[in-house]
Amino acid sequence: MAYTDYIFEGYRKRLAELRESTNPFADGIAWTGGDYMPVHEATVPLLDNGFMKSDLAYDVPAVWDGRYFRLDDHIERFERSCAKLRLTCPIPREELRHRLIEMVARSGIRDAYVMMIVTRGLRYLRQYAPEECENRCYLMVTPFLWVIDEELQKTGASAIIARDVRRVPPGAMDPTVKNLQWGDFTRALLEARDRGCSYALLTDGDRNLAEGSGFNVVLVKDGRLFTPARGVLEGVTRKSVLLAADRLGIPWEITDVPVSAAYDCDEMMFVTTAGGVMPVTTLDGEKVGDGSVGPVTQALWKAYWDQHYDPEASFAVSYE
Ligand SMILES: *Cc1c(COP(=O)(O)O)cnc(C)c1O
């Protein structure tokens, strides 16, 4: 039995039920300012600067087994991201929260990937002050997405450290704003493809690790966790993992992590809402540690998924 079975078996069952569902929103539901609609029918106006200039902020919480996980952490980070870009969500927080819950309930999706986006809107900043721009809000709920799928989580994924591109520096794009200026990540993904895998870690260009396309990295060395301090989004999953580490008595540091530490660690994980704690067992074609999913990763993996049933961190959606 794989260490992942206890959580993935239930998920598989719920997914099979969802596929049988006749709910018109079972493939996903969207809100762009009017009525709810199936996600595949939702569109963005061509002239929205969110599309034209990636002038937007977003966030992604998830629902697991019918329970929202750390929704308020995501909404709070979303509001901080918006504030840093001088964006304002056009609907108040209470309405945003209510819609995010209502959309999950209407769709019947038990394991959901949830996205909230605020864009600058149709007016361009060269001609208008930020307060003259009518910012737009887009919401969607789809079935859960896996950065590293369940099968691969049993054995661990293969990744590279990108050589051709570095993470955008904090002085160019503030990495603590969850944003979709993915030029660096896209280049790294192309390099990963060329080098025979699907995952890339980016450095800060000064010999430290940063992060990958939508995930933070955590290394294990001699029973201690290390995760980069700078040039990264402050991930909610990372926070959950460090909280779990506290409870398990595993020491950790948010610090500068030199690239060399990645080649010298015992275990490596990529961590994100869209997939949780995901083991990486091959780096640049070489084994990470002994090449298996290590004991610290397995313990944190279980603790992370257990938190999804903890009322301190999650609440049930009422689907009626
Ligand atoms: C979303 C994201 C993460 C992970 O954040 P979580 O809150 O754990 O989902 C890490 N890095 C980047 C660049 C991201 O966009």
Side-chain angles (χ1 to χ4, degrees):
M1 203 175 104
Y3 76 97
T4 52
D5 283 355
Y6 103 99
I7 200 86
F8 285 156
E9 263 173 17
Y11 167 71
R12 287 259 138 232
K13 246 182 241 147
R14 298 190 298 274
L15 189 60
E17 277 167 24
L18 183 66
R19 288 189 175 137
E20 298 292 305
S21 163
T22 54
N23 185 320
F25 299 132
D27 290 336
I29 179 170
W31 183 77
T32 62
D35 294 333
Y36 293 126
M37 63 179 85
V39 71
H40 297 288
E41 292 172 18
T43 57
V44 176
L46 184 60
L47 293 178
D48 190 324
N49 284 283
F51 178 72
M52 299 298 277
K53 304 280 188 309
S54 195
D55 189 357
L56 59 81
Y58 81 113
D59 219 288
V60 174
V63 174
W64 187 259
D65 199 0
R67 303 178 67 86
Y68 250 111
F69 187 58
R70 299 201 191 282
L71 176 59
D72 293 312
D73 284 326
H74 287 277
I75 291 178
E76 283 161 23
R77 183 176 65 189
F78 182 55
E79 289 175 342
R80 289 196 298 275
S81 295
C82 287
K84 285 177 185 169
L85 295 180
R86 291 198 247 165
L87 293 165
T88 310
C89 186
I91 55 174
R93 175 199 280 214
E94 276 321 301
E95 181 181 344
L96 172 68
R97 196 171 186 282
H98 173 79
R99 285 190 187 279
L100 292 174
I101 298 167
E102 185 177 44
M103 287 166 72
V104 171
R106 290 250 193 131
S107 72
I109 301 173
R110 252 60 185 184
D111 306 286
Y113 174 95
V114 178
M115 202 168 190
M116 56 190 107
I117 310 171
V118 166
T119 66
R120 190 71 61 192
L122 304 181
R123 289 183 165 179
Y124 183 39
L125 277 178
R126 192 154 54 227
Q127 283 120 354
Y128 294 93
E131 56 280 8
E132 294 170 321
C133 297
E134 276 176 45
N135 299 158
R136 298 175 70 102
C137 179
Y138 300 89
L139 307 176
M140 67 173 192
V141 171
T142 67
F144 197 83
L145 286 181
W146 299 94
V147 168
I148 296 180
D149 71 32
E150 320 120 69
E151 265 318 297
L152 204 49
Q153 288 196 31
K154 290 181 193 169
T155 53
S158 294
I160 57 154
I161 294 185
R163 301 194 279 241
D164 287 352
V165 58
R166 54 163 292 177
R167 182 83 178 101
V168 69
M173 177 71 220
D174 181 345
T176 67
V177 172
K178 199 165 171 75
N179 71 84
L180 289 171
Q181 297 189 9
W182 271 41
D184 52 352
F185 291 145
T186 301
R187 278 179 66 186
L189 286 169
L190 291 171
E191 182 183 338
R193 289 278 160 194
D194 290 345
R195 292 170 60 191
C197 66
S198 311
Y199 303 99
L201 259 184
L202 284 76
T203 75
D204 69 355
D206 281 317
R207 309 172 75 205
N208 296 302
L209 294 177
E211 60 184 340
S213 52
F215 50 82
N216 293 112
V217 61
V218 178
L219 305 181
V220 183
K221 178 69 179 173
D222 297 332
R224 181 177 282 269
L225 308 182
F226 296 90
T227 185
R230 288 183 299 156
V232 301
L233 182 77
E234 292 164 342
V236 174
T237 314
R238 184 175 82 163
K239 174 181 152 177
S240 301
V241 165
L242 298 181
L243 221 83
D246 280 341
R247 291 177 189 156
L248 293 165
I250 302 169
W252 53 264
E253 284 175 48
I254 299 179
T255 181
D256 288 346
V257 183
V259 175
S260 57
Y263 296 111
D264 185 40
C265 66
D266 303 322
E267 303 177 33
M268 177 182 291
M269 297 153 247
F270 292 166
V271 303
T272 175
T273 297
V277 175
M278 304 172 297
V280 176
T281 48
T282 306
L283 184 67
D284 286 352
E286 304 280 339
K287 283 180 185 170
V288 176
D290 68 3
S292 67
V293 179
V296 177
T297 304
Q298 292 195 28
L300 291 172
W301 190 94
K302 180 169 186 309
Y304 174 75
W305 286 107
D306 283 349
Q307 281 179 24
H308 289 70
Y309 297 92
D310 176 354
E312 296 250 302
S314 68
F315 64 89
V317 173
S318 73
Y319 290 85
E320 74 225 30

